[in-house]
């Protein structure tokens, strides 16, 4: 008799974003004719840039010609794209080899799949609050016990609070896998090199691995802030970096990302190259490589025109962030992020529950955001707003909040 993976039964209430959609739909059905403005899910809204579109067309044209047609590509991505990424990292002062870069269908799948190459006995530490996939994927595979009061038995929660600037202290005791997201989703906090140095030193000492999600690094404008964990000496021995083309090129629906697994990365009982080889084996077994067409589009983003256009898109969203942050500060709401990240993390008025504030914001201002509690117990009492949206839509949402939200 077939059975299900019972670890799914441990998952707490429905995944955050479907629950937001459910509540929003219920509100619309109860209030026909009301327009809802969305500052919730971090989905891009602006069209792909001309250079990227030309690259995608080039990819299609190549498949339409017998002379340039290609079938399955390399499991780890085209050589050209991986070399372009090597050049990007060189701009950060980081030296990588193309064999250490694995192109995929996105940072979210990699964030979940990467833990499959590590043993179930590994102790996992996550930031709290955290992007849900880090937690849920480890629940599903069986690394945790049940959820009690919002926390899963067996996970180590690294608290991120106003007091520590939403960047966690080192775990107490020994852990094996450490998930860090920088710039952070949901809080918008950005780590300094000194803060990352502490985690690199810890990981090297304990033969732990930092799984570093840098999907929003394009939004960092301060040259003194690290865009890659490999800007910290020694990180190549202890860190895997995951990144995405979604938020700077606009590939949320197109799907493309990459992971860096350094040859020098070692864990207990391994030699350099072993972890890199395991990830290659996992990808070649369960993944046939990213779309040929999509990789051509991404490659175009590395041209001078492509880089300029994609930066313009990032700047567009950050103007939204500036507008939202200014409005909240004018309303005397405590707000964080929105400076080097497209997310703003606000304290809920009067210390109310984050789902209660979701309902109030929707009812009074007709604006949808993201309850902090959906990112873990440390998110209770906070609320995430997203800067992704058309200027005019964000402006209308901000105006509605200012005029209609009863504080």
């Amino acid at each position: 008799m077939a059975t299900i993976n019972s670890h799914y039964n441990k998952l707490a209430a429905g995944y955050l974003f479907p629950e937001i959609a459910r509540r929003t739909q219920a509100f619309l059905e109860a209030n026909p004719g009301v327009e809802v403005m969305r500052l919730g899910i971090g989905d891009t809204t602006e069209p792909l840039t001309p250079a990227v579109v030309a690259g995608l067309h080039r990819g299609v044209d190549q498949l339409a010609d017998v002379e340039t047609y290609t079938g399955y590509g390399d499991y780890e991505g085209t050589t050209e794209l991986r070399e372009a990424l090597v050049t990007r990292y060189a701009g950060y002062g980081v030296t990588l080899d193309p064999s250490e870069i694995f192109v995929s269908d996105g940072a979210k799948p990699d964030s979940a799949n990467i833990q499959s190459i590590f043993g179930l006995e590994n102790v996992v530490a996550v930031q709290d609050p955290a992007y849900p996939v880090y937690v849920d994927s480890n629940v599903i595979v069986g690394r945790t016990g049940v959820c009690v009061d919002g926390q899963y038995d067996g996970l180590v929660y690294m608290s991120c609070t106003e007091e520590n600037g939403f960047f966690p202290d080192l775990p107490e005791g020994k852990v094996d896998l450490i998930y860090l997201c920088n710039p952070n989703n949901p809080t918008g906090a950005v780590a300094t090199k000194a803060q990352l140095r502490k985690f690199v030193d810890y990981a090297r000492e304990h033969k732990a691995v930092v799984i570093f999600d840098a999907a929003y690094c394009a939004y960092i404008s301060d040259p003194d802030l690290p865009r890659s964990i490999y800007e910290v000496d020694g990180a190549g021995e202890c860190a895997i970096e995951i990144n995405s083309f979604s938020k700077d090129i606009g590939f949320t629906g197109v799907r493309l990302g990459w992971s860096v697994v350094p040859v020098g990365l070692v864990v207990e009982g391994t030699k350099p190259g072993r972890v890199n080889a395991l990830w290659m084996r996992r990808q070649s077994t369960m993944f046939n490589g990213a779309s040929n067409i999509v990789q051509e589009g991404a490659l175009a983003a590395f041209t001078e025109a492509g880089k300029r256009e994609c930066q313009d898109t990032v700047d567009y969203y950050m103007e939204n962030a500036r507008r939202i942050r200014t409005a909240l500060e004018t309303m005397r709401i405590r707000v964080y992020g929105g400076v080097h990240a497209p997310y703003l993390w606000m304290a809920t008025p009067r210390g109310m529950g984050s789902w209660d504030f979701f309902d109030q914001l929707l009812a009074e201002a007709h604006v949808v955001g993201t309850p902090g509690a959906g990112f873990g117990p440390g998110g209770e009492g906070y609320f995430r707003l997203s800067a992704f949206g058309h200027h005019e839509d964000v402006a209308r949402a901000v105006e509605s909040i200012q005029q209609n939200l009863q504080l």
Side-chain angles (χ1 to χ4, degrees):
M1 178 183 295
T3 61
I4 64 168
N5 176 358
S6 61
H7 296 301
Y8 275 87
N9 296 331
K10 301 176 189 174
L11 292 173
Y15 187 64
L16 173 60
F17 301 115
E19 175 63 13
I20 290 172
R22 186 193 67 77
R23 292 193 182 209
T24 303
Q25 184 59 35
F27 174 82
L28 289 171
E29 291 174 358
N31 299 272
V34 171
E35 180 188 7
V36 166
M37 294 161 281
R38 302 175 188 271
L39 298 179
I41 295 177
D43 194 2
T44 51
T45 59
E46 302 314 296
L48 301 178
T49 72
V52 171
V53 170
L56 292 170
H57 281 299
R58 182 168 56 252
V60 171
D61 291 341
Q62 289 172 350
L63 295 184
D65 188 328
V66 68
E67 298 297 328
T68 54
Y69 175 83
T70 54
Y72 292 125
D74 295 334
Y75 295 115
E76 65 270 47
T78 67
T79 300
E80 294 80 7
L81 183 54
R82 288 183 289 123
E83 288 177 343
L85 285 165
V86 166
T87 300
R88 172 180 286 185
Y89 279 95
Y92 306 152
V94 173
T95 300
L96 293 176
D97 187 87
S99 66
E100 299 175 305
I101 296 175
F102 298 82
V103 178
S104 69
D105 57 347
K108 184 177 181 179
D110 278 2
S111 296
N113 294 330
I114 196 73
Q115 46 87 10
S116 70
I117 65 173
F118 298 103
L120 288 180
E121 71 280 1
N122 283 283
V123 178
V124 176
V126 296
Q127 292 172 270
D128 180 28
Y131 186 48
V133 69
Y134 312 144
V135 173
D136 289 359
S137 61
N138 278 285
V139 173
I140 290 168
V141 79
R143 282 202 182 89
T144 75
V146 297
C147 184
V148 179
D149 296 329
Q151 293 190 341
Y152 287 94
D153 182 47
L155 285 186
V156 174
Y157 289 81
M158 302 182 296
S159 181
C160 298
T161 65
E162 292 184 58
E163 289 71 28
N164 63 20
F166 298 104
F167 188 82
D169 296 326
L170 291 173
E172 295 183 5
K174 185 182 185 303
V175 300
D176 304 302
L177 302 177
I178 304 169
Y179 283 82
L180 294 179
C181 180
N182 184 72
N184 187 262
N185 177 15
T187 68
V190 183
T192 64
K193 191 174 290 188
Q195 287 174 317
L196 294 183
R197 154 67 57 199
K198 294 179 181 179
F199 276 87
V200 168
D201 289 346
Y202 174 94
R204 293 175 72 189
E205 177 184 355
H206 294 287
K207 288 248 183 329
V209 175
V210 176
I211 300 175
F212 189 77
D213 185 344
Y216 299 96
C217 69
Y219 290 82
I220 298 175
S221 58
D222 185 342
D224 292 330
L225 293 172
R227 289 161 175 77
S228 168
I229 196 169
Y230 301 121
E231 294 180 53
V232 178
D233 291 341
E237 301 173 18
C238 64
I240 290 171
E241 184 164 298
I242 295 171
N243 214 315
S244 171
F245 290 104
S246 287
K247 301 309 189 328
D248 53 348
I249 296 181
F251 274 12
T252 51
V254 181
R255 306 308 306 148
L256 198 69
W258 74 92
S259 290
V260 180
V261 184
V263 170
L265 175 66
V266 292
V267 299
E268 292 286 353
T270 71
K271 296 180 179 179
R274 177 58 174 158
V275 179
N276 176 282
L278 283 177
W279 184 239
M280 178 62 181
R281 178 57 190 269
R282 189 273 168 201
Q283 293 297 80
S284 61
T285 300
M286 302 184 185
F287 183 62
N288 269 341
S291 160
N292 300 339
I293 297 170
V294 173
Q295 290 187 79
E296 284 295 326
L299 192 58
F302 289 90
T303 64
E304 288 305 312
K307 289 187 286 188
R308 183 174 60 253
E309 292 168 1
C310 291
Q311 184 60 53
D312 288 344
T313 300
V314 168
D315 292 344
Y316 181 96
Y317 293 128
M318 289 310 296
E319 172 58 25
N320 286 340
R322 184 201 62 78
R323 177 173 293 180
I324 297 169
R325 182 174 177 125
T326 299
L328 295 177
E329 289 175 336
T330 300
M331 298 171 71
R332 301 187 183 280
I333 293 174
R334 300 197 315 278
V335 59
Y336 305 90
V339 178
H340 299 292
Y343 297 119
L344 299 100
W345 189 242
M346 59 174 284
T348 56
R350 304 179 304 281
M352 66 191 306
S354 58
W355 279 107
D356 292 334
F357 182 68
F358 174 91
D359 293 334
Q360 180 185 351
L361 186 67
L362 182 57
E364 295 178 355
H366 302 163
V367 172
V368 173
T370 308
F375 297 99
E380 185 55 271
Y382 294 92
F383 201 78
R384 193 194 77 175
L385 295 176
S386 167
F388 293 111
H390 304 309
H391 279 334
E392 57 273 21
D393 293 340
V394 171
R396 287 191 305 111
V398 167
E399 182 180 8
S400 181
I401 292 172
Q402 289 178 304
Q403 292 182 355
N404 300 309
L405 183 63
Q406 301 298 310
L407 298 178

